[in-house]
Amino acid sequence: MRVPRFTPAHERMQRIDLIYFDAGGGHRASAIALKSAAEEQRRPWQIRLVNLREVLEPADVIRRITGVRVEDFYNSLLKSGMTIGTGPMLRIVQTLIRVLHARLTEHLTEYWQKSENDLVVSMIPNFNRAIFQGLRAADVKRNRSKTPMVTILTDLADHPPHFWIERRDQYDQYIVCGTATAGEQAISMGHPRERVFRTSGMIVRPEFYRPMELERETERLRLGLAPELPTGIVMFGSFGSRRMIDIAKRIAAAQLKTQLIFVCGHNEELRRRLHEIKLPFASHCVGFTREIPYFMRMADYFIGKPGPGSISEALVMGLPVIVERNAFTMVQERFNTEWIVQNQLGVVLHSFGSIASGVAKMLDPEQFRQFRSGVKAVDNRAAFEVPEILEEIMSRSRLETAGASRRTQVAEVARPSFGEFGRQVARQTRAAFVRLLITGSPLIRW
């Protein structure tokens, strides 16, 4: 695996496609975060955000039959908390993708024939084989050099087979991984180490790294919170979760000396119900907001599902986490819970039914100190590392293309045409015949 090395930007604006979809919201968030980080670094890049669903809309047979998009169905499951059985569901989806592979590849080929890119970056799972083959077919049809492709894992690890990483013999691309486990998974699939890049974590929006000039105690008072009381922030993605109500009631019943900030996302009904509950501790409820860094700055610990985006944001903000792992946990997120325990980043519960025990550990000074020490050791800077990696990949591609072009030119110059070669042979043969008549020697001097 390679450590990213900065390469000076090329003079021409580099055209990059970042591919995402809206299943869960984390892929779009990562793509936007990467674009923001590149813009802050003033990279000479022209970045286009590509929603794969829009490109493949004509091939969405499920929507034509049911009238419902797959990602909308997926998001409704997240909103309701009905995520049990995601393993079998994932395999059904992957089977459907394989059945539709030729059609998907055709649509992607047509899409990339219409544009000239210096790099294509996938930030989604399941479709990378189709994306790669569609891109290569477009390269051939346009008679252009191979467009490099990068897959950036927005999960802490792959969930094989056919999720994030395909075997090397099926496609030749670059892999960017946020953990050592993901990097070793890529290498075990046959990808060369020089094409596997390791970052220090997941991509998080640059806003989470910016210092805030504020008095936390004063801001807590403004939110209706006690200025000195340990504070938790409760988040379950863009759509919230009904489990947040149960969490609030259980912490209230345990009479723990804490207070909570509830982030309900787009779930307005959930926000209303939480606001109506009579809790014995101070709390603050907010719906969808872009001020997550601010609200995390008000907190001391995080409660939520073990999604890679949420826990990475919490860790960047210095918050230990409380998550759960059971049959309802998304299969691709189960590794995250193991990673949390291994790195002493917080508490993993079997169920939020025992949330009081998890919060009690956060309120214990010694245990909280250990968790904070583990969080500090992570030091995730992926948002600023990935642009350097992409620049190096494009630099490599330019050098490879230039080298191939020079080799082709040299070969064309060194190889005489058939007509010229014939004329050369004729001249040398006549000279040899004359030499034979004069000297008696048939030597041909080339």
Side-chain angles (χ1 to χ4, degrees), residues 216 220 226 228-233 247 250-260 281-282 298-303 319-322 345-347 349 354-372:
R216 190 162 76 155
R220 281 182 174 179
E228 301 292 342
L229 202 61
T231 305
I233 183 167
I247 288 170
R250 289 182 182 276
I251 292 177
Q255 298 182 338
L256 296 170
K257 293 182 178 180
T258 190
Q259 56 192 355
L260 298 175
F281 53 80
M298 298 299 105
D300 299 293
Y301 60 91
F302 167 91
I303 301 174
L319 305 182
V321 301
I322 304 174
L345 305 175
V347 180
L349 305 171
S354 56
I355 183 63
S357 66
V359 173
K361 292 181 179 179
M362 294 296 172
L363 302 181
D364 178 86
E366 179 58 27
Q367 289 193 312
F368 185 73
R369 184 192 64 77
Q370 292 178 1
F371 292 146
R372 286 294 297 269

Side-chain angles (χ1 to χ4, degrees), residues 10-137:
H10 197 247
E11 292 181 0
R12 180 177 65 81
M13 290 287 284
Q14 304 296 288
R15 294 179 291 269
I16 302 175
D17 276 356
L18 299 185
I19 305 171
Y20 73 95
F21 51 33
D22 284 323
H27 306 287
R28 176 193 284 268
S30 296
I32 292 174
L34 177 55
K35 184 174 185 292
S36 297
E39 290 171 348
E40 284 197 2
Q41 294 179 356
R42 300 185 182 277
R43 300 276 174 177
W45 297 350
Q46 182 179 347
I47 296 177
R48 177 172 61 172
L49 298 179
V50 180
N51 188 335
L52 188 69
R53 179 192 59 76
E54 295 176 358
V55 177
L56 299 181
E57 189 83 40
D60 191 348
V61 295
I62 292 180
R63 187 188 181 195
R64 289 205 298 269
I65 295 172
T66 66
V68 178
R69 295 190 180 104
V70 173
E71 62 186 25
D72 292 338
F73 174 70
Y74 178 85
N75 290 333
S76 69
L77 293 179
L78 295 181
K79 185 176 180 180
S80 64
M82 296 302 295
T83 52
I84 194 169
T86 52
M89 187 187 307
L90 173 61
R91 299 312 175 204
I92 292 172
V93 170
Q94 290 176 332
T95 299
L96 179 61
I97 291 172
R98 285 198 295 274
V99 170
L100 296 174
H101 177 76
R103 189 181 302 179
L104 300 177
T105 303
E106 180 181 339
H107 285 295
L108 290 164
T109 300
E110 182 180 351
Y111 179 79
W112 273 303
Q113 276 186 270
K114 299 175 184 176
S115 63
E116 292 279 351
N117 293 320
D118 295 281
L119 187 67
V120 170
V121 181
S122 170
M123 307 187 77
I124 62 173
N126 291 316
F127 291 90
N128 288 315
R129 178 166 165 258
I131 291 170
F132 176 81
Q133 293 185 357
L135 180 62
R136 281 292 169 270

